[in-house]
Amino acid sequence: MPSGYKKNYQNHGVSIPPFKGVDTGLTDVTFGGFELDKFINSQPSAINEQGLAWYDVAHSGAAGSVPGISKPGDPVWDWITFPQAMIACANKGKGYFLSTDVMWASVAFLAKKQGTLPHGNNNNLNPPSATGFTTEIATLDKHLKAESPTYNRALPGSGPATWAHNHLASGVYDLNGLVYEWVCMMMDTNGYPQISANLNLSYGGSPFGRGTVSDTSLVTADGAGVNWNKAWETWLKYDAEEAGFTAEQSLLGMTSGATALISQVIDLGATGLLRIRRTSSAAFQDNEVISSATTAKTISGAANNGAGLIRIKATAHGYTTGQLVTIKSVAGTVEANNTDTNPAWAITVVDADYFDLNESTFTNGYVSGGSAYKVTGVGGVAASNGAEIGEFAITYLGYDGQTAAFALGDTVTGATTTHNGIIVSDSDCGTFGTLGILGATGVFQDNEELQVGGATKALAVGTAQSCQAYIPEASGGAGASYPITTSSPNTLTLSGTPANGIATFWIHKTITRDITLRTDTGLAMTNGHKIDSLRDADNDLKSFALPGTSSAGGSASYGNAYYYFAKSAARAALRGGPFSGDGGVFTLNVYYPPSYASLSIGFRAGKVL
């Protein structure tokens, strides 16, 4: 390497704003809300010099600690497998991950919405050009040309603005052509897609990141070291309800001191389920009193009000006389703290900064700390029933032949196996759909009747499957998926034994829908045909821009993009298309296994916000 040569670590990204889909069936879906690499990634030392191999990682080599870099004008990091692309993206730092199924779909739908389906290097000519737009040319990748004289691939970002998703220099380049790009999506031998376990693209809530494996089955993502700091949701059962809960209320555990925001309520009367985003490290405990409360106010003092009651100082508390308030974590005047037996105080407001706790008795001097919560229900709202259950401990069961609707909170039972669980989600697509089942007692049987209260409502399709964590470092860097048995806000417990150490991960779920079959007739599509329509009417799959029908000609609405697939082994998804043809932002290729690598495959990263 020449003296003074420096690696290029400057990464270029483009923010994709949130927007609603406009295609049929997509108007209720919010896409975007993340950053995507502007260019297909190169190695830090890559340089466009003919015949010189200035690379950090050799063809088909392990990424190690080398990051992929989004930069213009340097050769693509090609000859990389799916798991190694995941590792190279995560090596950029916290927040970065291999672009995912919904990220890629977001940019494709945005380009379609704006009428700017990107052109690109999918015409193998020198200079590199776009099929149908041969006057649009880019800079030749001399390095590849030296290796393979008949190949004319462009350098990332060297084409005109029409090669960007918005036809502007500010856009994401080369989503059509140069190379196929690995994205986080897979397909099994049934043709069933394995998609991201949730659509959350926030740093804490997204189903991907990097953690550490210990005890061969526990993945911890707590923010320490290389770990992302995850804050996944959990479910909490309750009973003995005294007053109703509402989404976006704060939740407070009277014994544990745990706090959370309620994101979903399944109210069954005196019992129900709360989906919560925990805001404390403490977990809710079985059988403790839980109260819905507003955001905490900081307590800065406690004293005798002159009549023996406790007077609390909480600047700009905003309370009114007669409201119920729960006090936690006061040191010194510990008698102010509420308990299961005394879950809240009625208060008398003194002024904007002080209030008295009715029927209290001041005994001990104030030392420090404390928080006050305005209770929005009546005292303790309910009692928790069991421990929290992580969102990725849910199993998913496909169904068809639906004769009556399922309801959230129903207990569904398999008529043959007698296994059961509580329904917490139902992506109803008409006669078919997928149930999310909490606390399944066993494996449901394919084609058995699914009953609620003894009445059959549909037939099972396949068997209920848990969410799984794909770890690219597993199996010696070849990658592997592990079923998730339990999850907490920042841990996953796996069924299996990945090696201890750093674990990049992507959490996915399987949808029992064969995506190699047409949505209109149920007949098989033809490998290598072009896309006519997408699965916009399928609530499970409409967020991922997956082909629904195809033909030899395809539809211009989707750029006459191609669809390749094979079902003989597990496949990982490629999108975009190569320099040698078959390109298009909607192109999908699930023909190759995750271990495949070639000069026509590269990658780019997304970044969560």
Side-chain angles (χ1 to χ4, degrees), residues 217-387:
S217 63
L218 181 69
V219 180
T220 300
D222 58 0
V226 300
N227 296 351
W228 289 29
N229 189 14
K230 305 306 293 189
W232 293 310
E233 295 186 331
T234 59
W235 286 94
L236 185 64
K237 298 179 183 179
Y238 66 84
D239 57 22
E241 181 185 61
E242 294 182 25
F245 296 99
T246 303
E248 298 308 318
Q249 286 179 333
S250 295
L251 189 69
L252 176 66
M254 300 307 302
T255 302
S256 64
T259 57
L261 289 174
I262 301 172
S263 57
Q264 183 182 355
V265 180
I266 299 177
D267 193 339
L268 304 175
T271 65
L273 284 162
L274 302 175
R275 187 169 184 169
I276 58 176
R277 301 188 299 274
R278 185 121 59 74
T279 54
S280 66
S281 58
F284 290 90
Q285 299 176 8
D286 182 26
N287 211 38
E288 70 173 320
V289 173
I290 51 177
S291 297
S292 54
T294 57
T295 303
K297 297 290 184 180
T298 299
I299 292 173
S300 57
N304 191 321
N305 76 339
L309 300 180
I310 301 170
R311 177 162 291 175
I312 297 293
K313 181 180 181 181
T315 303
H317 54 70
Y319 300 153
T320 59
T321 295
Q323 286 181 329
L324 296 174
V325 172
T326 291
I327 305 293
K328 302 292 287 186
S329 305
V330 171
T333 314
V334 293
E335 59 271 24
N337 294 323
N338 290 106
T339 65
D340 277 350
T341 56
N342 178 31
W345 300 103
I347 64 169
T348 299
V349 170
V350 178
D351 57 31
D353 299 327
Y354 291 89
F355 58 88
D356 293 342
L357 306 183
N358 299 348
E359 301 184 14
S360 64
T361 301
F362 179 83
T363 304
N364 300 296
Y366 177 77
V367 174
S368 64
S371 298
Y373 303 83
K374 183 178 71 174
V375 177
T376 55
V378 180
V381 173
S384 61
N385 182 1

Side-chain angles (χ1 to χ4, degrees), residues 583-603:
V585 69
F586 282 98
T587 288
L588 174 64
N589 186 324
V590 278
Y591 190 86
Y592 298 107
S595 59
Y596 186 73
S598 85
L599 56 81
S600 293
I601 294 178
F603 65 93

